[in-house]
Amino acid sequence: MTILEIKTYPDIFLSKPTKQIENIDGNIQHLIENMAATMYQVPGVGLAAIQVGHDKRLLVYDVAPRDEKRELQVLINPRIVSSEGTMISEDEGCLSVPDFRADVKRASLILVEGLDREGKPLRIEAEGMLAVVLQHEIDHLNGTLFIDRISSLKQQLYKKRVKKSLKKK
C-alpha cells in the first residue's frame, strides 16, 4: 500500500466537485486501500478521494477511537438525502486545511445513501461524530472545504496566514 500525498488549501483542485464512479473495479479497490493506509498514517478519521488527487465520489472513514479496534468504512457515490436539526461541530479540523480548527454549524441528524466497496446500496442514519465526519467528507466531494462554512473574518485570517507562509517558501 502507498501513502498518498494530501492536497492542501489553496490547491484549486479541492474546490472542484467530483465525478460519480461508474465501475467499481480493481483500480477503485486499490485506491480505497491506499486511501485507508493514508488516513490511518496521518492520522485522520475520514478522507475523500479529492484530497489525494482523485476526481472520484469516494470516501473512507473510521470513527473508532484510536486505541480500539479500527473498522474501515467505505462510501462510494454518497449523497445526503435528508438532514434535520443543527449542532456546532466544535474544533473541527481537516487534513487539507492544516494547522487550523474552528467551530462549524452542521446538521445534527443526516441520512446518507451510497454504495459500499462491493457496489451494494447503503443507507446510513448518522448523528453526533459520525454525522459530522460524513458531512465534512461529502462536502469535499462537492468541492467545499470546512473553512467555506465559517465566518468570513475567520476565513480571511486563515487565508492571509497561508499566503504569508507560502511566500516564505
Side-chain angles (χ1 to χ4, degrees):
M1 283 178 270
T2 304
I3 303 301
L4 304 170
E5 181 183 337
I6 296 174
K7 294 191 171 293
T8 57
Y9 176 85
D11 191 316
I12 196 77
F13 189 70
L14 293 167
S15 64
K16 299 193 181 306
T18 56
K19 294 181 176 78
Q20 292 276 0
I21 293 174
E22 303 297 331
N23 184 20
I24 303 171
D25 58 13
N27 290 331
I28 295 296
Q29 297 300 335
H30 187 67
L31 177 57
I32 290 168
E33 293 302 321
N34 289 338
M35 286 174 61
T38 303
M39 178 185 71
Y40 288 130
Q41 173 79 31
V42 175
V45 294
L47 188 65
I50 191 85
Q51 291 178 273
V52 291
H54 292 268
D55 184 16
K56 309 244 181 266
R57 288 194 70 77
L58 166 66
L59 63 89
V60 297
Y61 66 95
D62 187 342
V63 295
R66 297 198 203 311
D67 54 355
E68 291 182 14
K69 185 174 183 272
R70 306 308 306 261
E71 194 171 325
L72 179 69
Q73 304 294 318
V74 176
L75 260 175
I76 296 170
N77 298 334
R79 63 188 185 93
I80 297 171
V81 292
S82 69
S83 62
E84 59 185 64
T86 58
M87 64 181 264
I88 299 297
S89 166
E90 295 178 3
D91 206 32
E92 192 169 318
C94 179
L95 300 172
S96 292
V97 184
D99 304 319
F100 185 75
R101 300 186 82 75
D103 294 348
V104 181
K105 188 175 176 182
R106 298 280 186 191
S108 54
L109 180 66
I110 61 170
L111 176 62
V112 175
E113 291 181 347
L115 304 172
D116 69 11
R117 69 186 298 170
E118 275 79 49
K120 295 183 185 111
L122 284 175
R123 284 176 62 96
I124 302 166
E125 267 190 45
E127 58 186 341
M129 172 74 158
L130 179 57
V132 169
V133 170
L134 291 175
Q135 288 171 85
H136 180 108
E137 300 307 331
I138 291 170
D139 271 356
H140 274 299
L141 301 178
N142 295 330
T144 302
L145 294 173
F146 88 101
I147 58 172
D148 298 326
R149 296 192 175 277
I150 61 175
S151 75
S152 58
L153 175 63
K154 287 181 182 175
Q155 274 182 29
Q156 293 310 315
L157 289 171
Y158 178 73
K159 290 174 181 180
K160 192 176 187 179
R161 191 171 84 205
V162 169
K163 283 180 185 170
K164 194 175 186 178
S165 71
L166 288 174
K167 284 181 184 174
K168 289 180 181 176
K169 289 182 178 180

